[in-house]
Amino acid sequence: MYPILTKKLLAPHIYELVVEAPRIARSAQPGQFVIVRTDAKGERIPLTICDYDRERGTVTLVIQEVGYSSRKICAMEPGEKMADVAGPLGRPSDLLELSDEELRAKKILFVAGGVGTAPVYPQVKWLKEHGVEADVIIGAKTASMFTYVEEMRKVGRVHLCTDDGSEGFHGMVTGLISKLVEEDGREFDHCVIIGPMIMMKFGSLTTKKYGIPTIVSLNALMVDGTGMCGACRVTVDGKTRFTCVEGPEFDGHLVDYDEAMRRQAMYRDNPKNNPETHKCSCHGN
Amino acid sequence: MATKGNKIPRTPVREQDPAIRATNFEEVCLGYDEQEAMLEATRCLRCPRPRCVQACPVGINIPGFVGKLADGDIKGAADIIGLDSSLPSVCGRVCPQETQCEGSCVLGIKNEPLAIGKLERFTGDWKIAHPEQFETAPATPNGKRVAIVGSGPAGLACASDLARLGYDVTIFEALHKAGGVLVYGIPEFRLPKERIVAKEVETVQKLGVKIETDVVIGRTMTVDQLLDDEGFDAVFIGSGAGLPRFMGIPGENLNGVFSANEMLTRANLMHAWEEEYDTPIYQGKRMVIVGGGNVAMDAVRTAKRLGADAVIVYRRSEAELPARVEEVHHAKQEGIDFRMLTNPVRILGDESGKVCGIECVKMELGEPDASGRRSPVEVPGSNFTMDCDVVIMALGTSPNPLIKDTTEGLEVTRRGCLVADEEGATTRKGVFAGGDAVTGAATVILAMGAGRKSAAAIHEYLSEK
Ligand SMILES: Cc1cc2nc3c(=O)[nH]c(=O)nc-3n(C[C@H](O)[C@H](O)[C@H](O)COP(=O)(O)OP(=O)(O)OC[C@H]3O[C@@H](n4cnc5c(N)ncnc54)[C@H](O)[C@@H]3O)c2cc1C
Ligand code: FES
């Protein structure tokens, strides 16, 4: 069992949970994820590791309430225990393979949106610890939806944008990428985009235009997370890949996003995914 | 005695009615009661050189245990099986008896073979129901620690033998529940989870074996860390062969195409067919399952129980179906549609990317290939399409590369199987392996046997060390 130590509302419907999982905290690397199951009847849900504390033995998870199971996770309170947290799963971020010199020679841009901001944080923080200050674009619909901005400012150069112009650049992340490159004359030779699939799709199209090699972190549906079922199949460069073991990071310019989005919606109509129709015995609803 | 045995017909076993069981997940075969088991046991000819024993992958003394049953000594029967097998109630249910013990039974030449599987099952179930009669004094701890990777039959068998020898044993399992394929793959209607599998796992735990779930070796910890940091003296890898194969035909990533592993894991491990569990399962009206092994039979019969029209598509003929004969027979009784000598070439999708059909080609059997099986060849121009909304690929699995990729000095074959000798010693000192991880997808009894062999080898290795 994995106790929840703290819970914080970061933005409407977005929560941060710090969970005790010493073995995972000990081996977690930026880019990896865990699979959690709230209780004996719960689903196995993949969540990116947003931070980890090896000494305290904790991992930090950020969850947005969307379907049935994410609401169930968000309804858990400190003191309660998750039945399972397994990981760290997936390959660590490619950046981790570079030497400090190679890293310092790189001009890295991160692009984050929605709950994608949280998983970008450990990577930027890790880079900072290795002497590299990266640029980070954080996009949101409106200013109240921003998460992790303060934390991120401590470790990287932050650029904000909102769809409604309530804070930062008025427009989407794609517009801000173009502005940095075209108007501000910034050069980047590595980009990491993490966020909703649609944002990764258009973000990658934009970086492709500027010839910036781009990595995306795919949030495919999963069951086991160990390569045993193929639920997480995506097409990259025309080949089928298992996100949970070969990813979650892939070359953003080669991912078939339309297929990935379609597969992500596989159970959207399923009655179990609908809090109205799937009633569960726990949490008394 | 011998002539008498010959005259009694094989004792029929009670089963759920096909029409009813096709709508529930309860066990199909109800097994023998004590009277039936004793009656069936009297049919054994007690051959002086029993062929059944030779045909058993772990060499169970079959006439020995059957003789005890005939005498009404069920405890004695269980003790005899226990010398060679630690999972009788599982193997009695899932072993391919027709190609092993029963296939070699002399009674089968003129009549029906002795129902060895059903007798083994009866004995195993009795053992589970009478745990107090099998309690053994705990072994004296010898101070040595062994880590087991994977809690399938190989890992469980290896762990229990080592615990009995006094080792401090911990099993690390990637999933949230112990049992391997026995919990995630083989369905409830063939192998009850709470009544049988959970009990077998408990038996292993009662010997003092610790089971840590949610630990993925290669990620949470590596094999090297187990040996260097965690203080284990040896490691046994029983990680199975869980990586599903796909065909590589167009349309395989459409919504509605799944591996049998995914479908069965959702149904068995995650209980997706039960309302109060959260995991969904993709419901089809007509589900086509591609393949002809046990996995395909389990998937197609699960599809049927989910309320679909369920079809098997297999590229060879019925004679080549690798599944247990009993499963094929049960599947037919349950109304499964078998399309033999048929191979998919393409999966068809509608405008929203959902499966709406499958294009197949007819096959015929050509010359025997290297394996001696007649290989199927396409009949030109025989393509046709079938409507369906779900396609399940049950084409076999291979070992997961995760452990090999993260362990220094561990060699694998071209097919990704760990290289290990007869005793399970791998190319890495102190690391042993057995079961599907070494052989590729095989059987429960072979995995169990390999686990036990490795336990003996680990004992020898650590005794010398
Ligand atoms: C649907 C289906 C039906 C079958 N029907 C039959 C049948 O009727 N008769 C028969 O004899 N055989 C049958 N088999 C085959 C049989 O189940 C296997 O041969 C047997 O279970 C192999 O045992 P094992 O212990 O080697 O591996 P498994 O049972 O596969 O167990 C391996 C375990 O290791 C875990 N694991 C894997 N990697 C790691 C890791 N890195 N770290 C930690 N844990 C890990 C897995 O999660 C799993 O729990 C069937 C298989 C399937 C899939
Ligand atoms: S989630 Fe099952 S293989 Fe990736």
Side-chain angles (χ1 to χ4, degrees):
Chain A
M1 296 291 259
Y2 304 80
I4 295 173
L5 301 184
T6 60
K7 173 179 176 178
K8 209 157 74 184
L9 181 69
L10 298 181
H13 304 292
I14 300 183
Y15 291 88
E16 178 197 87
L17 299 180
V18 175
V19 185
E20 194 175 308
R23 280 201 197 285
I24 300 172
R26 220 176 299 156
S27 44
Q29 301 282 3
Q32 292 188 298
F33 65 94
V34 291
I35 295 250
V36 308
R37 207 171 62 118
T38 51
D39 63 292
K41 292 185 175 160
E43 253 185 294
R44 293 173 65 92
I45 300 287
L47 295 171
T48 311
I49 300 171
C50 300
D51 204 356
Y52 45 83
D53 185 328
R54 304 212 199 280
E55 257 103 74
R56 284 177 69 211
T58 58
V59 293
T60 303
L61 309 173
V62 172
I63 307 112
Q64 180 166 27
E65 290 181 307
V66 264
Y68 179 81
S69 289
S70 56
R71 283 182 204 218
K72 199 164 151 181
I73 298 171
C74 291
M76 292 188 84
E77 296 296 339
E80 289 189 88
K81 290 177 176 143
M82 294 194 171
D84 302 280
V85 182
L89 300 168
R91 290 184 315 115
S93 166
D94 279 338
L95 287 172
L96 267 66
E97 280 164 28
L98 302 181
S99 70
D100 285 7
E101 267 146 59
E102 287 172 303
L103 280 175
R104 276 193 285 268
K106 275 207 175 299
K107 293 184 277 295
I108 306 172
L109 172 67
F110 285 88
V111 180
V115 272
T117 318
V120 159
Y121 173 66
Q123 302 204 22
V124 181
K125 182 173 131 186
W126 184 88
L127 284 171
K128 174 86 176 176
E129 285 161 7
H130 288 77
V132 182
E133 185 157 28
D135 285 87
V136 186
I137 293 179
I138 307 178
K141 275 203 181 71
T142 182
S144 65
M145 296 293 285
F146 278 123
T147 60
Y148 268 78
V149 173
E150 284 324 304
E151 287 88 342
M152 203 76 87
R153 282 206 165 110
K154 293 191 191 117
V155 292
R157 270 189 299 271
V158 173
H159 314 266
L160 301 179
C161 66
T162 47
D163 294 3
D164 64 0
S166 53
E167 193 171 347
F169 176 84
H170 186 172
M172 302 213 240
V173 295
T174 44
L176 187 47
I177 299 173
S178 296
K179 175 183 173 291
L180 288 182
V181 173
E182 290 182 18
E183 290 176 27
D184 304 352
R186 299 291 308 276
E187 278 176 27
F188 299 103
D189 52 18
H190 187 89
C191 178
V192 178
I193 312 181
I194 308 182
M197 204 73 91
I198 191 85
M199 185 193 101
M200 295 193 276
K201 173 179 173 176
F202 286 101
S204 295
L205 282 173
T206 308
T207 57
K208 193 172 181 181
K209 197 166 70 182
Y210 302 121
I212 310 170
T214 298
I215 296 292
V216 293
S217 176
L218 298 182
N219 46 343
L221 294 181
M222 295 189 188
V223 183
D224 58 299
T226 67
M228 182 190 95
C229 75
C232 60
R233 321 205 276 295
V234 290
T235 301
V236 182
D237 199 14
K239 285 197 229 25
T240 294
R241 313 282 293 269
F242 286 14
T243 306
C244 70
V245 283
E246 299 175 90
E249 297 192 347
F250 292 106
D251 184 333
H253 297 153
L254 300 176
V255 170
D256 181 340
Y257 294 99
D258 294 340
E259 178 190 281
M261 284 187 268
R262 191 191 77 220
R263 290 183 58 81
Q264 235 184 4
M266 187 115 58
Y267 296 93
R268 203 153 283 170
D269 308 333
N270 195 289
K272 283 199 181 173
N273 206 18
N274 182 344
E276 300 300 310
T277 50
H278 179 51
K279 301 248 188 286
C280 133
S281 46
C282 49
H283 294 293
N285 50 355
Chain B
M1 188 76 183
T3 41
K4 183 178 153 227
N6 256 324
K7 283 185 201 137
I8 313 173
R10 177 165 161 135
T11 314
V13 68
R14 286 162 293 121
E15 289 175 349
Q16 266 200 77
D17 181 80
I20 295 168
R21 72 182 191 231
T23 63
N24 69 41
F25 280 83
E26 317 269 301
E27 192 171 16
V28 168
C29 172
L30 304 175
Y32 286 153
D33 61 21
E34 193 169 329
Q35 234 177 350
E36 291 164 334
M38 280 175 70
L39 176 66
E40 179 64 12
T42 57
R43 292 181 65 227
C44 179
L45 299 178
R46 317 255 181 121
C47 308
R49 254 175 291 123
R51 303 202 304 184
C52 53
V53 178
Q54 284 166 34
C56 172
V58 298
I60 294 174
N61 176 359
I62 293 164
F65 97 79
V66 174
K68 290 282 184 200
L69 282 183
D71 297 342
D73 177 7
I74 311 171
K75 159 93 169 80
D79 286 338
I80 292 181
I81 298 180
L83 296 174
D84 299 295
S85 170
S86 41
L87 298 170
S89 48
V90 175
C91 291
R93 285 175 169 81
V94 306
C95 261
Q97 286 94 5
E98 69 276 5
T99 61
Q100 299 177 2
C101 53
E102 295 183 23
S104 311
C105 176
V106 173
L107 282 179
I109 299 171
K110 286 206 182 124
N111 292 295
E112 280 195 277
L114 184 69
I116 301 168
K118 300 286 178 281
L119 293 176
E120 183 190 19
R121 164 185 164 146
F122 169 77
T123 311
D125 287 6
W126 191 88
K127 185 173 178 179
I128 286 177
H130 300 84
E132 70 291 345
Q133 301 213 23
F134 295 87
E135 269 167 25
T136 46
T140 327
N142 65 14
K144 293 186 177 142
R145 302 179 65 217
V146 181
I148 310 268
V149 183
S151 62
L156 290 175
C158 186
S160 52
D161 278 12
L162 287 169
R164 283 202 189 88
L165 290 166
Y167 289 90
D168 177 355
V169 184
T170 307
I171 299 181
F172 295 103
E173 167 57 48
L175 296 173
H176 57 261
K177 199 159 190 186
V181 169
L182 309 184
V183 294
Y184 81 72
I186 304 180
E188 178 75 20
F189 56 80
R190 209 147 71 78
L191 182 63
K193 305 295 160 239
E194 289 309 315
R195 195 155 51 82
I196 304 298
V197 183
K199 289 287 184 302
E200 298 286 12
V201 173
E202 264 170 45
T203 309
V204 177
Q205 284 171 309
K206 277 198 197 131
L207 294 168
V209 172
K210 285 160 275 186
I211 302 182
E212 269 201 52
T213 51
D214 297 334
V215 178
V216 185
I217 298 301
R219 292 279 189 239
T220 318
M221 290 184 284
T222 60
V223 170
D224 292 87
Q225 281 171 319
L226 291 175
L227 291 166
D228 301 339
D229 307 341
E230 299 280 323
F232 288 100
D233 300 292
V235 175
F236 173 77
I237 302 173
S239 52
L243 197 76
R245 262 197 284 280
F246 286 89
M247 291 186 83
I249 56 174
E252 241 175 345
N253 287 347
L254 288 165
N255 287 13
V257 184
F258 305 92
S259 73
N261 262 10
E262 178 177 352
M263 182 232 210
L264 291 169
T265 301
R266 285 179 183 273
N268 302 324
L269 181 71
M270 306 311 297
H271 297 259
W273 49 276
E274 290 179 68
E275 176 60 30
E276 69 272 25
Y277 285 78
D278 299 344
T279 302
I281 197 158
Y282 197 91
Q283 186 68 44
K285 289 195 178 64
R286 189 155 194 245
M287 304 177 52
V288 168
I289 285 76
V290 184
N294 285 322
V295 183
M297 294 307 137
D298 285 345
V300 80
R301 294 169 71 201
T302 298
K304 182 83 189 178
R305 282 159 174 77
L306 291 171
D309 262 347
V311 187
I312 281 277
V313 164
Y314 179 57
R315 65 197 178 115
R316 300 179 197 250
S317 72
E318 188 168 336
E320 284 85 20
L321 281 172
R324 293 177 78 223
V325 169
E326 188 179 10
E327 308 315 327
V328 177
H329 171 70
H330 282 158
K332 285 193 175 160
Q333 285 183 329
E334 287 163 15
I336 305 298
D337 183 358
F338 280 77
R339 306 290 180 93
M340 298 295 100
L341 291 166
T342 304
N343 205 30
V345 292
R346 188 158 66 104
I347 301 165
L348 310 168
D350 63 16
E351 63 288 346
S352 65
K354 290 187 183 146
V355 171
C356 65
I358 185 166
E359 181 181 330
C360 298
V361 61
K362 287 271 172 208
M363 310 292 279
E364 59 190 8
L365 290 180
E367 295 301 307
D369 62 12
S371 71
R373 289 202 297 183
R374 292 176 63 195
S375 53
V377 286
E378 286 186 7
V379 179
S382 64
N383 292 38
F384 66 100
T385 59
M386 247 192 286
D387 288 343
C388 65
D389 44 14
V390 169
V391 174
I392 308 261
M393 294 295 176
L395 308 157
T397 52
S398 52
N400 193 317
L402 188 56
I403 292 181
K404 159 211 90 166
D405 288 347
T406 52
T407 312
E408 205 62 49
L410 207 55
E411 277 173 35
V412 294
T413 64
R414 205 168 30 85
R415 286 165 50 235
C417 300
L418 291 172
V419 174
D421 68 13
E422 266 295 289
E423 265 68 55
T426 65
T427 52
R428 173 77 189 269
K429 197 162 171 262
V431 180
F432 297 76
D436 284 4
V438 169
T439 55
T443 58
V444 172
I445 187 110
L446 285 171
M448 185 215 52
R452 300 197 74 187
K453 263 193 197 158
S454 281
I458 289 170
H459 181 45
E460 200 181 305
Y461 166 74
L462 291 179
S463 305
E464 284 166 7
K465 204 174 145 182

